[in-house]
Amino acid sequence: MTSALDALPRIGAPATRALNNAGYATLRDLAGVPLAELAKLHGMGPKALGIIQHSLEEHNLSLG
């Protein structure tokens, strides 16, 4: 059985590629990662970062 933590949230393709290329395959992988680190990834914009943070907060998690 999979949960919402086992996939990335629905963000744009460039942001998804950026996360995959950096080794982040699931929402769970992003818990505790510094926001500044993700913001440096090419293709990662403020909208995607907001969606990720909101998705983590739904599971009582957050970015670092």
Side-chain angles (χ1 to χ4, degrees):
M1 183 173 178
T2 61
S3 76
L5 289 171
D6 295 326
L8 290 171
R10 295 183 60 85
I11 53 178
T16 300
R17 278 192 302 273
L19 291 173
N20 287 327
N21 289 340
Y24 303 111
T26 67
L27 184 60
R28 183 179 279 113
D29 294 338
L30 297 171
V33 175
L35 176 71
E37 182 178 320
L38 294 180
K40 291 179 188 176
L41 299 175
H42 181 73
M44 186 62 61
K47 183 175 179 181
L49 290 169
I51 292 169
I52 290 167
Q53 182 63 42
H54 177 61
S55 298
L56 285 168
E57 288 171 356
E58 289 179 341
H59 300 282
N60 296 320
L61 300 170
S62 67
L63 294 172

